[in-house]
Amino acid sequence: MGVAARLAQRRLAAADARATDARQMRAREIDGNVAPGTEAAVAEDLCSLEAMFPTTYPSVVEMVYKEVAGCVMERAIEALLQIADDSHHSHEDSTYDYGHTPGGYASFEHYASSVQSEDDTPPPPPSPDPALALAVEHELALERELAELRVAKALLEETDSSLHQQLELVKQELEIAGKLLAATDQRAEECTLVKQELEIAGQLLLAAEARADEFARKYVSEFFLRKKLHNQLQEMLGNLRVYCRVRPPSAHELEQDVVGDKNGHTTVEVPNNETLLVSDKEDPKRPRRRYDYSKVYGPASTQEEVFSDTEPLMTSVLDGYNVCVFAYGQSGSGKTYTMEGTADSPGLALRAVDALFLGAEERRAQGYETELSIGLVEIYNETLGDLLADPTEDHSHKKLEILKDASLGMYVRDLHVVPVDSAARVRELVNKGNEHRRTAATGLNEHSSRSHMVVSIICRTTNAQSGESWVGKLSLVDLAGSERLCKSEVTGEVAKDSIAINQSLTSLGSVIAALANGEKHVPYRDSKLTYLLQDSLGGNSKTLMFVNVSPAQLNVKETLNSLAFANRAKSVALGKATRNQVRAPVEAKKK
């Protein structure tokens, strides 16, 4: 049995002794046989103490009982138990083995102080008591159970702390969930509002679509009415209209001071957009002349302004009418710039092509399909030339000849007519034609055109629903400039070109004069130029002429001649232009 067990056994025995002592004292008090503090009582207490502490010397027990406890049994038991506990701890803490000492004391000093004589020998240890061992084992079991209960308590405390933390986390999660639920409720309300707004928007959309359908029907109706009114307006204005454009003075003219007179008046003035004033300081009888035209553009006018008044005629082309626009004037007056322009500032021809493609695209949405094609003709010394033909190929078997078609009017047989699908393609072909066109340097113009060029654009339009179709033709004519040999300073072949150009322009003047005078015979066949323009000048066409003039006093004679030609042209009253209707195919009519 271990030390702890023996101590437990002593405590149990001490407890039993105290209980027994208490009962005996009560019995003595009752019986009156043994009085407390008598020798008999002392002897009886010592016997009880020696039985309780068998390993302690009797002399030590007697000394503790009498001297320490004052013959009080309970104090003696407490003192002896304290001595036994101190001996137990000293025995466990000692690092030097003194051997087994009587009473279980670990040190020699404790042993020496506990005995009176070295000859005293301790009584033999009592034999183990089974009941006491059982009680000790029971106490140990209780201690183990208590330890287990403490461990369980610690675990429960840890578990309780963990559960408390988890509870706090759950509370926080519940708070967050509450906030999320509130936000969800708010979003649900917002979704409800959005749904209501979408329903309202859907209703508005249906109403808007209904209005859009109504507007579309009205647009189609207005579209045809607008076309009708446009054509009527063009007829009221006159089928041959004349516009005048004054080019800016050149740097050379400004240096020579040949633009105005000594009084500060310029040779050509534009007081408003319909009037032109020309001053000739060499003619004192008529120092200033006035000319009125449908439109007059001053030196500061732009290409956009010039085309804005020509653009409405493009609608007539798409409607199946023939339209002719040509520029007339002396060499160097700005005809080519007005008609063709430059890469940065396109002229009337290229802008007209853009307008045709834009109009065709708008009409496609109305169920109309438009096909465009282009051909370029050069008239040089009364000879026809195909500017789109490949110069490396042999074209001797082709005979370019002017003929008349019931729908298109005048056209050139065997001329290359190229289908086009964009304005860029037209620009490419026009640039190609200009490369083949004949030019030369003269005293009036460094790049003088030595031929007339006619750009013909054919527009064939078909109504996809009815099968009805019509064809319109736009003729853009860039005339070579009239010039006097004394000023152009040309000789040889270039001089022959000038003579041919002047002759063809004279023929054009004769045709204009005959038309203006209402003569029965009009000499269209006097030149290839007038014959090709026959339907544009006196037939089924809407014609616009630009007369280009120089602002310099040096060219005032040529300016006055050009303006006189323009005055005759504006008096020409052409017949009412008709639409070039093409009979619808039989298959289209059946549909």
Side-chain angles (χ1 to χ4, degrees):
M1 183 178 297
V3 176
R6 288 196 299 271
L7 289 175
Q9 183 178 12
R10 289 176 183 173
R11 291 190 182 94
L12 181 60
D16 293 339
R18 285 195 295 270
T20 303
D21 183 45
R23 287 192 297 271
Q24 290 176 356
M25 290 179 65
R26 183 175 297 177
R28 286 196 297 268
E29 292 174 357
I30 295 172
D31 297 338
N33 295 332
V34 181
T38 60
E39 291 182 1
V42 170
E44 187 175 355
D45 289 341
L46 289 175
C47 290
S48 298
L49 291 174
E50 288 175 0
M52 292 169 60
F53 300 92
T55 59
T56 304
Y57 286 99
S59 59
V60 174
V61 173
E62 182 178 358
M63 179 187 67
V64 171
Y65 175 75
K66 292 181 178 181
E67 297 179 5
V68 176
C71 296
V72 178
M73 186 66 173
E74 292 181 359
R75 292 180 181 177
I77 293 173
E78 290 177 359
L80 290 173
L81 286 175
Q82 185 176 1
I83 292 172
D85 288 340
D86 182 71
S87 177
H88 167 65
H89 291 301
S90 298
H91 180 269
E92 289 180 344
D93 297 336
S94 178
T95 57
Y96 184 83
D97 188 7
Y98 289 94
H100 178 72
T101 57
Y105 292 98
S107 62
F108 179 80
E109 288 79 11
H110 289 150
Y111 171 74
S113 62
S114 301
V115 296
Q116 295 177 352
S117 175
E118 294 180 359
D119 295 335
D120 294 335
T121 59
S127 59
D129 186 357
L132 181 60
L134 183 61
V136 172
E137 291 179 1
H138 180 68
E139 182 179 359
L140 292 175
L142 291 175
E143 291 180 354
R144 284 194 299 272
E145 185 176 356
L146 179 60
E148 291 176 357
L149 290 174
R150 289 174 178 173
V151 172
K153 178 183 178 184
L155 291 176
L156 286 175
E157 291 177 351
E158 293 179 359
T159 303
D160 180 67
S161 176
S162 176
L163 289 176
H164 181 72
Q165 294 177 356
Q166 293 181 6
L167 180 60
E168 292 296 328
L169 292 176
V170 170
K171 289 181 179 180
Q172 295 177 4
E173 291 177 356
L174 287 175
E175 291 179 358
I176 296 173
K179 295 179 180 179
L180 292 176
L181 181 60
T184 303
D185 293 339
Q186 182 178 359
R187 286 197 297 270
E189 294 178 357
E190 293 176 355
C191 290
T192 302
L193 294 176
V194 171
K195 184 178 179 181
Q196 295 175 357
E197 292 176 356
L198 288 175
E199 292 177 354
I200 296 174
Q203 296 174 0
L204 294 176
L205 179 60
L206 293 176
E209 290 177 349
R211 289 195 300 272
D213 293 339
E214 181 65 21
F215 290 155
R217 288 191 294 270
K218 290 182 178 180
Y219 172 79
V220 173
S221 176
E222 293 294 331
F223 174 77
F224 289 105
L225 179 60
R226 187 172 64 254
K227 288 203 306 179
K228 182 179 179 180
L229 294 176
H230 164 75
N231 292 324
Q232 290 177 355
L233 177 62
Q234 297 300 319
E235 293 172 3
M236 292 174 62
L237 291 174
N239 288 336
L240 202 160
R241 292 180 295 280
V242 177
Y243 293 167
C244 179
R245 187 178 191 185
V246 183
R247 71 164 172 80
S250 65
H252 174 72
E253 293 169 344
L254 291 175
E255 290 176 359
Q256 296 296 322
D257 194 20
V258 295
V259 177
D261 56 18
K262 61 182 179 180
N263 297 322
H265 297 116
T266 58
T267 301
V268 179
E269 297 179 9
V270 182
N272 55 63
N273 60 1
E274 294 181 353
T275 304
L276 187 73
L277 300 177
V278 180
S279 301
D280 184 3
K281 64 181 181 180
E282 296 179 358
D283 187 1
K285 294 182 180 180
R286 297 187 62 184
R288 180 174 291 188
R289 294 177 175 85
R290 175 184 175 128
Y291 298 89
D292 295 312
Y293 300 104
S294 299
K295 202 77 174 179
V296 177
Y297 303 96
S301 62
T302 64
Q303 300 283 59
E304 290 81 1
E305 293 174 2
V306 172
F307 180 68
S308 64
D309 294 307
T310 308
E311 186 175 9
L313 288 174
M314 302 306 107
T315 302
S316 297
V317 177
L318 293 172
D319 287 340
Y321 292 89
N322 294 337
V323 173
C324 178
V325 180
F326 67 94
Y328 180 90
Q330 77 170 112
S331 180
S333 61
K335 299 184 305 298
T336 301
Y337 178 77
T338 297
M339 295 300 294
E340 299 180 17
T342 62
D344 297 332
S345 181
L348 188 147
L350 297 181
R351 293 177 185 273
V353 170
D354 289 336
L356 288 176
F357 277 99
L358 181 60
E361 184 65 26
E362 291 177 351
R363 294 182 178 221
R364 184 173 290 111
Q366 305 298 328
Y368 295 91
E369 294 295 334
T370 302
E371 298 177 355
L372 287 87
S373 56
I374 185 173
L376 276 71
V377 180
E378 180 185 40
I379 303 176
Y380 174 73
N381 288 342
E382 288 300 301
T383 302
L384 299 176
D386 188 351
L387 294 178
L388 295 183
D390 189 349
T392 61
E393 296 180 358
D394 181 17
H395 302 285
S396 59
H397 62 285
K398 294 184 178 181
K399 184 179 180 180
L400 299 179
E401 184 179 4
I402 300 175
L403 299 176
K404 186 174 183 179
D405 180 77
S407 299
L408 294 178
M410 310 307 292
Y411 74 100
V412 178
R413 185 178 65 180
D414 290 339
L415 181 72
H416 278 82
V417 179
V418 181
V420 289
D421 56 2
S422 66
R425 176 60 174 161
V426 174
R427 293 189 184 93
E428 178 184 349
L429 294 174
V430 171
N431 291 335
K432 178 181 177 182
N434 283 326
E435 291 176 358
H436 298 159
R437 188 180 180 185
R438 292 172 174 84
T439 60
T442 68
L444 297 174
N445 189 357
E446 184 179 357
H447 301 283
S448 176
S449 301
R450 313 312 296 166
S451 63
H452 309 300
M453 184 176 74
V454 180
V455 179
S456 297
I457 301 176
I458 311 300
C459 300
R460 298 181 183 273
T461 304
T462 302
N463 187 324
Q465 295 181 351
S466 65
E468 180 186 14
S469 63
W470 53 85
V471 57
K473 181 177 69 172
L474 173 63
S475 299
L476 301 170
V477 185
D478 182 13
L479 298 175
S482 61
E483 56 190 23
R484 289 186 290 175
L485 294 179
C486 62
K487 284 192 174 181
S488 62
E489 300 175 355
V490 294
T491 59
E493 293 296 326
V494 179
K496 293 180 180 180
D497 295 343
S498 297
I499 295 173
I501 291 171
N502 289 334
Q503 287 178 348
S504 63
L505 292 177
T506 300
S507 299
L508 179 61
S510 300
V511 169
I512 293 295
L515 291 172
N517 296 329
E519 298 178 4
K520 294 182 179 180
H521 174 70
V522 180
Y524 291 115
R525 291 180 178 269
D526 285 359
S527 71
K528 295 288 180 65
L529 174 64
T530 54
Y531 190 35
L532 183 60
L533 297 180
Q534 178 178 350
D535 58 344
S536 299
L537 296 175
N540 184 29
S541 179
K542 299 178 181 182
T543 304
L544 171 63
M545 185 185 84
F546 276 90
V547 55
N548 294 81
V549 297
S550 167
Q553 172 64 34
L554 180 65
N555 301 317
V556 69
K557 300 298 182 183
E558 287 77 9
T559 297
L560 293 174
N561 289 335
S562 297
L563 294 176
F565 178 85
N567 279 348
R568 290 194 298 271
K570 75 175 185 178
S571 64
V572 174
L574 301 179
K576 181 180 178 180
T578 59
R579 187 181 190 184
N580 299 321
Q581 185 77 37
V582 179
R583 183 173 298 176
V586 177
E587 293 78 2
K589 288 183 178 181
K590 289 182 179 180
K591 291 181 180 179

Short mmCIF file of all heavy atoms in Angstrom, two decimals, residues 303-348:
data_model
loop_
_atom_site.label_atom_id
_atom_site.label_comp_id
_atom_site.label_asym_id
_atom_site.label_seq_id
_atom_site.Cartn_x
_atom_site.Cartn_y
_atom_site.Cartn_z
N GLN A 303 -18.13 75.14 -103.22
CA GLN A 303 -18.69 74.05 -104.02
C GLN A 303 -20.02 73.56 -103.43
O GLN A 303 -20.93 73.18 -104.17
CB GLN A 303 -17.70 72.87 -104.07
CG GLN A 303 -16.34 73.21 -104.68
CD GLN A 303 -16.40 73.29 -106.20
OE1 GLN A 303 -17.14 74.10 -106.77
NE2 GLN A 303 -15.61 72.45 -106.85
N GLU A 304 -20.14 73.60 -102.12
CA GLU A 304 -21.38 73.16 -101.48
C GLU A 304 -22.54 74.09 -101.85
O GLU A 304 -23.65 73.63 -102.14
CB GLU A 304 -21.22 73.13 -99.95
CG GLU A 304 -20.29 72.03 -99.43
CD GLU A 304 -18.83 72.41 -99.54
OE1 GLU A 304 -18.54 73.54 -99.99
OE2 GLU A 304 -17.99 71.57 -99.18
N GLU A 305 -22.28 75.40 -101.86
CA GLU A 305 -23.34 76.35 -102.20
C GLU A 305 -23.78 76.17 -103.64
O GLU A 305 -24.98 76.23 -103.95
CB GLU A 305 -22.82 77.78 -101.99
CG GLU A 305 -22.55 78.13 -100.53
CD GLU A 305 -21.91 79.50 -100.40
OE1 GLU A 305 -21.73 80.17 -101.43
OE2 GLU A 305 -21.59 79.90 -99.27
N VAL A 306 -22.82 75.93 -104.53
CA VAL A 306 -23.16 75.76 -105.95
C VAL A 306 -24.03 74.53 -106.15
O VAL A 306 -25.02 74.55 -106.90
CB VAL A 306 -21.87 75.69 -106.79
CG1 VAL A 306 -22.20 75.32 -108.24
CG2 VAL A 306 -21.13 77.01 -106.74
N PHE A 307 -23.69 73.44 -105.47
CA PHE A 307 -24.44 72.21 -105.68
C PHE A 307 -25.81 72.24 -104.99
O PHE A 307 -26.73 71.53 -105.42
CB PHE A 307 -23.63 71.01 -105.16
CG PHE A 307 -24.34 69.71 -105.33
CD1 PHE A 307 -24.55 69.17 -106.59
CD2 PHE A 307 -24.82 69.01 -104.23
CE1 PHE A 307 -25.23 67.96 -106.76
CE2 PHE A 307 -25.48 67.81 -104.38
CZ PHE A 307 -25.69 67.28 -105.66
N SER A 308 -25.97 73.03 -103.95
CA SER A 308 -27.24 73.04 -103.21
C SER A 308 -28.42 73.40 -104.10
O SER A 308 -29.53 72.90 -103.90
CB SER A 308 -27.15 74.02 -102.04
OG SER A 308 -26.97 75.34 -102.51
N ASP A 309 -28.20 74.26 -105.11
CA ASP A 309 -29.29 74.64 -106.01
C ASP A 309 -29.44 73.67 -107.18
O ASP A 309 -30.42 73.75 -107.92
CB ASP A 309 -29.06 76.06 -106.54
CG ASP A 309 -29.13 77.09 -105.42
OD1 ASP A 309 -30.13 77.10 -104.69
OD2 ASP A 309 -28.16 77.86 -105.26
N THR A 310 -28.49 72.78 -107.33
CA THR A 310 -28.55 71.79 -108.42
C THR A 310 -29.07 70.44 -107.91
O THR A 310 -29.63 69.66 -108.69
CB THR A 310 -27.15 71.60 -109.03
OG1 THR A 310 -26.63 72.88 -109.39
CG2 THR A 310 -27.19 70.72 -110.27
N GLU A 311 -28.93 70.21 -106.65
CA GLU A 311 -29.28 68.91 -106.07
C GLU A 311 -30.73 68.49 -106.33
O GLU A 311 -30.98 67.29 -106.57
CB GLU A 311 -29.00 68.93 -104.57
CG GLU A 311 -29.17 67.59 -103.90
CD GLU A 311 -28.77 67.64 -102.43
OE1 GLU A 311 -28.53 68.74 -101.92
OE2 GLU A 311 -28.72 66.56 -101.81
N PRO A 312 -31.73 69.38 -106.31
CA PRO A 312 -33.11 68.93 -106.57
C PRO A 312 -33.29 68.23 -107.91
O PRO A 312 -34.19 67.39 -108.05
CB PRO A 312 -33.92 70.23 -106.49
CG PRO A 312 -33.14 71.12 -105.60
CD PRO A 312 -31.71 70.81 -105.90
N LEU A 313 -32.45 68.55 -108.90
CA LEU A 313 -32.58 67.90 -110.20
C LEU A 313 -32.25 66.41 -110.13
O LEU A 313 -32.68 65.64 -110.99
CB LEU A 313 -31.68 68.59 -111.23
CG LEU A 313 -32.13 69.99 -111.68
CD1 LEU A 313 -31.08 70.62 -112.57
CD2 LEU A 313 -33.47 69.92 -112.39
N MET A 314 -31.49 66.00 -109.12
CA MET A 314 -31.14 64.58 -108.99
C MET A 314 -32.39 63.75 -108.70
O MET A 314 -32.47 62.58 -109.08
CB MET A 314 -30.09 64.39 -107.89
CG MET A 314 -28.79 65.18 -108.10
SD MET A 314 -28.01 64.89 -109.69
CE MET A 314 -28.37 66.43 -110.54
N THR A 315 -33.35 64.37 -108.03
CA THR A 315 -34.62 63.67 -107.79
C THR A 315 -35.33 63.39 -109.11
O THR A 315 -35.93 62.32 -109.30
CB THR A 315 -35.51 64.51 -106.88
OG1 THR A 315 -34.83 64.77 -105.65
CG2 THR A 315 -36.82 63.80 -106.58
N SER A 316 -35.25 64.33 -110.05
CA SER A 316 -35.88 64.13 -111.36
C SER A 316 -35.23 62.98 -112.10
O SER A 316 -35.91 62.21 -112.80
CB SER A 316 -35.79 65.42 -112.18
OG SER A 316 -36.50 66.47 -111.54
N VAL A 317 -33.92 62.84 -111.99
CA VAL A 317 -33.23 61.72 -112.65
C VAL A 317 -33.74 60.39 -112.12
O VAL A 317 -34.04 59.47 -112.88
CB VAL A 317 -31.71 61.84 -112.46
CG1 VAL A 317 -31.00 60.64 -113.08
CG2 VAL A 317 -31.19 63.13 -113.08
N LEU A 318 -33.87 60.27 -110.80
CA LEU A 318 -34.37 59.03 -110.20
C LEU A 318 -35.83 58.79 -110.54
O LEU A 318 -36.30 57.65 -110.52
CB LEU A 318 -34.19 59.07 -108.68
CG LEU A 318 -32.74 59.08 -108.18
CD1 LEU A 318 -32.69 59.32 -106.67
CD2 LEU A 318 -32.04 57.76 -108.52
N ASP A 319 -36.57 59.86 -110.87
CA ASP A 319 -37.98 59.72 -111.24
C ASP A 319 -38.15 59.37 -112.72
O ASP A 319 -39.30 59.20 -113.16
CB ASP A 319 -38.73 61.02 -110.95
CG ASP A 319 -38.93 61.21 -109.45
OD1 ASP A 319 -38.84 60.21 -108.71
OD2 ASP A 319 -39.18 62.36 -109.03
N GLY A 320 -37.04 59.26 -113.48
CA GLY A 320 -37.14 58.84 -114.87
C GLY A 320 -37.09 59.98 -115.88
O GLY A 320 -37.53 59.80 -117.02
N TYR A 321 -36.53 61.11 -115.50
CA TYR A 321 -36.41 62.25 -116.41
C TYR A 321 -34.95 62.40 -116.87
O TYR A 321 -34.02 61.98 -116.16
CB TYR A 321 -36.86 63.55 -115.73
CG TYR A 321 -38.34 63.60 -115.45
CD1 TYR A 321 -38.85 63.12 -114.25
CD2 TYR A 321 -39.22 64.14 -116.37
CE1 TYR A 321 -40.20 63.17 -113.98
CE2 TYR A 321 -40.59 64.19 -116.11
CZ TYR A 321 -41.07 63.70 -114.91
OH TYR A 321 -42.42 63.75 -114.65
N ASN A 322 -34.77 63.03 -118.04
CA ASN A 322 -33.44 63.36 -118.52
C ASN A 322 -33.04 64.74 -117.99
O ASN A 322 -33.82 65.69 -118.07
CB ASN A 322 -33.40 63.38 -120.05
CG ASN A 322 -33.63 62.00 -120.64
OD1 ASN A 322 -33.41 60.99 -119.97
ND2 ASN A 322 -34.07 61.95 -121.88
N VAL A 323 -31.84 64.82 -117.46
CA VAL A 323 -31.32 66.06 -116.90
C VAL A 323 -29.95 66.32 -117.50
O VAL A 323 -29.11 65.39 -117.58
CB VAL A 323 -31.24 66.00 -115.36
CG1 VAL A 323 -30.55 67.25 -114.81
CG2 VAL A 323 -32.62 65.87 -114.76
N CYS A 324 -29.72 67.55 -117.91
CA CYS A 324 -28.42 67.93 -118.47
C CYS A 324 -27.89 69.14 -117.74
O CYS A 324 -28.61 70.14 -117.55
CB CYS A 324 -28.54 68.22 -119.97
SG CYS A 324 -27.00 68.76 -120.72
N VAL A 325 -26.63 69.07 -117.31
CA VAL A 325 -25.95 70.19 -116.67
C VAL A 325 -24.65 70.42 -117.43
O VAL A 325 -23.84 69.50 -117.56
CB VAL A 325 -25.66 69.90 -115.18
CG1 VAL A 325 -24.97 71.09 -114.53
CG2 VAL A 325 -26.94 69.57 -114.43
N PHE A 326 -24.45 71.62 -117.96
CA PHE A 326 -23.20 71.88 -118.67
C PHE A 326 -22.66 73.24 -118.28
O PHE A 326 -23.42 74.14 -117.87
CB PHE A 326 -23.37 71.76 -120.18
CG PHE A 326 -24.24 72.79 -120.81
CD1 PHE A 326 -23.71 73.96 -121.35
CD2 PHE A 326 -25.61 72.58 -120.91
CE1 PHE A 326 -24.52 74.90 -121.94
CE2 PHE A 326 -26.43 73.52 -121.51
CZ PHE A 326 -25.88 74.69 -122.02
N ALA A 327 -21.35 73.37 -118.36
CA ALA A 327 -20.65 74.60 -118.00
C ALA A 327 -20.08 75.23 -119.27
O ALA A 327 -19.43 74.57 -120.08
CB ALA A 327 -19.52 74.30 -117.01
N TYR A 328 -20.31 76.56 -119.43
CA TYR A 328 -19.90 77.30 -120.62
C TYR A 328 -19.07 78.49 -120.17
O TYR A 328 -19.37 79.13 -119.16
CB TYR A 328 -21.12 77.77 -121.40
CG TYR A 328 -20.81 78.54 -122.66
CD1 TYR A 328 -20.66 77.89 -123.87
CD2 TYR A 328 -20.68 79.92 -122.61
CE1 TYR A 328 -20.37 78.61 -125.03
CE2 TYR A 328 -20.39 80.65 -123.76
CZ TYR A 328 -20.23 79.98 -124.96
OH TYR A 328 -19.94 80.70 -126.10
N GLY A 329 -18.05 78.83 -120.96
CA GLY A 329 -17.24 79.99 -120.64
C GLY A 329 -15.90 79.93 -121.35
O GLY A 329 -15.54 78.92 -121.97
N GLN A 330 -15.15 81.01 -121.24
CA GLN A 330 -13.85 81.06 -121.89
C GLN A 330 -12.87 80.15 -121.17
O GLN A 330 -13.09 79.71 -120.03
CB GLN A 330 -13.32 82.50 -121.94
CG GLN A 330 -12.77 82.96 -120.61
CD GLN A 330 -12.03 84.28 -120.68
OE1 GLN A 330 -12.51 85.25 -120.14
NE2 GLN A 330 -10.89 84.32 -121.36
N SER A 331 -11.78 79.87 -121.82
CA SER A 331 -10.75 79.04 -121.22
C SER A 331 -10.18 79.73 -119.99
O SER A 331 -9.87 80.92 -120.02
CB SER A 331 -9.63 78.79 -122.24
OG SER A 331 -8.62 77.99 -121.68
N GLY A 332 -10.08 78.98 -118.88
CA GLY A 332 -9.54 79.52 -117.64
C GLY A 332 -10.57 80.21 -116.77
O GLY A 332 -10.20 80.88 -115.79
N SER A 333 -11.85 80.07 -117.08
CA SER A 333 -12.89 80.74 -116.28
C SER A 333 -13.39 79.89 -115.11
O SER A 333 -14.22 80.37 -114.33
CB SER A 333 -14.06 81.15 -117.18
OG SER A 333 -14.65 80.01 -117.78
N GLY A 334 -12.93 78.65 -114.99
CA GLY A 334 -13.32 77.81 -113.84
C GLY A 334 -14.37 76.77 -114.15
O GLY A 334 -15.04 76.27 -113.23
N LYS A 335 -14.54 76.40 -115.43
CA LYS A 335 -15.57 75.40 -115.79
C LYS A 335 -15.23 74.02 -115.22
O LYS A 335 -16.09 73.38 -114.59
CB LYS A 335 -15.70 75.31 -117.31
CG LYS A 335 -16.12 76.60 -117.98
CD LYS A 335 -16.31 76.42 -119.47
CE LYS A 335 -15.09 75.84 -120.14
NZ LYS A 335 -13.91 76.73 -120.02
N THR A 336 -14.02 73.57 -115.42
CA THR A 336 -13.63 72.24 -114.94
C THR A 336 -13.66 72.17 -113.42
O THR A 336 -14.05 71.16 -112.83
CB THR A 336 -12.23 71.88 -115.47
OG1 THR A 336 -12.24 71.91 -116.90
CG2 THR A 336 -11.80 70.50 -115.00
N TYR A 337 -13.26 73.25 -112.75
CA TYR A 337 -13.32 73.25 -111.28
C TYR A 337 -14.76 73.16 -110.80
O TYR A 337 -15.06 72.45 -109.83
CB TYR A 337 -12.67 74.52 -110.74
CG TYR A 337 -12.73 74.62 -109.23
CD1 TYR A 337 -11.86 73.88 -108.43
CD2 TYR A 337 -13.66 75.45 -108.61
CE1 TYR A 337 -11.92 73.97 -107.05
CE2 TYR A 337 -13.72 75.54 -107.23
CZ TYR A 337 -12.85 74.81 -106.45
OH TYR A 337 -12.91 74.89 -105.09
N THR A 338 -15.68 73.87 -111.49
CA THR A 338 -17.08 73.81 -111.10
C THR A 338 -17.65 72.42 -111.30
O THR A 338 -18.39 71.89 -110.45
CB THR A 338 -17.90 74.83 -111.89
OG1 THR A 338 -17.44 76.16 -111.58
CG2 THR A 338 -19.38 74.74 -111.55
N MET A 339 -17.32 71.77 -112.43
CA MET A 339 -17.90 70.47 -112.75
C MET A 339 -17.22 69.32 -112.00
O MET A 339 -17.88 68.42 -111.51
CB MET A 339 -17.82 70.23 -114.25
CG MET A 339 -18.65 71.20 -115.09
SD MET A 339 -20.43 71.12 -114.69
CE MET A 339 -20.80 69.48 -115.27
N GLU A 340 -15.87 69.35 -111.91
CA GLU A 340 -15.15 68.22 -111.34
C GLU A 340 -14.51 68.54 -110.00
O GLU A 340 -14.46 67.68 -109.11
CB GLU A 340 -14.08 67.75 -112.32
CG GLU A 340 -14.65 67.29 -113.66
CD GLU A 340 -13.57 66.83 -114.62
OE1 GLU A 340 -12.44 66.56 -114.15
OE2 GLU A 340 -13.85 66.75 -115.82
N GLY A 341 -14.02 69.78 -109.83
CA GLY A 341 -13.41 70.16 -108.57
C GLY A 341 -12.07 69.49 -108.36
O GLY A 341 -11.37 69.09 -109.30
N THR A 342 -11.70 69.33 -107.09
CA THR A 342 -10.45 68.68 -106.69
C THR A 342 -10.75 67.57 -105.69
O THR A 342 -11.90 67.36 -105.29
CB THR A 342 -9.49 69.71 -106.06
OG1 THR A 342 -10.10 70.24 -104.87
CG2 THR A 342 -9.19 70.84 -107.03
N ALA A 343 -9.69 66.88 -105.28
CA ALA A 343 -9.88 65.80 -104.30
C ALA A 343 -10.39 66.34 -102.98
O ALA A 343 -11.23 65.71 -102.31
CB ALA A 343 -8.56 65.05 -104.10
N ASP A 344 -9.90 67.50 -102.58
CA ASP A 344 -10.34 68.10 -101.31
C ASP A 344 -11.66 68.84 -101.44
O ASP A 344 -12.37 69.03 -100.44
CB ASP A 344 -9.27 69.06 -100.79
CG ASP A 344 -7.96 68.35 -100.46
OD1 ASP A 344 -8.03 67.15 -100.13
OD2 ASP A 344 -6.90 68.99 -100.56
N SER A 345 -11.97 69.30 -102.63
CA SER A 345 -13.21 70.07 -102.84
C SER A 345 -13.90 69.56 -104.10
O SER A 345 -13.75 70.14 -105.18
CB SER A 345 -12.88 71.57 -102.94
OG SER A 345 -14.06 72.32 -103.12
N PRO A 346 -14.64 68.44 -104.01
CA PRO A 346 -15.27 67.84 -105.19
C PRO A 346 -16.24 68.81 -105.86
O PRO A 346 -16.87 69.64 -105.22
CB PRO A 346 -16.00 66.61 -104.64
CG PRO A 346 -15.55 66.45 -103.25
CD PRO A 346 -14.93 67.71 -102.79
N GLY A 347 -16.34 68.65 -107.19
CA GLY A 347 -17.22 69.52 -107.94
C GLY A 347 -18.63 68.99 -108.07
O GLY A 347 -19.03 68.02 -107.40
N LEU A 348 -19.37 69.61 -108.99
CA LEU A 348 -20.79 69.31 -109.13
C LEU A 348 -21.03 67.88 -109.58
O LEU A 348 -21.97 67.22 -109.11
CB LEU A 348 -21.40 70.31 -110.12
CG LEU A 348 -22.91 70.32 -110.30
CD1 LEU A 348 -23.37 71.74 -110.61
CD2 LEU A 348 -23.35 69.39 -111.43
#
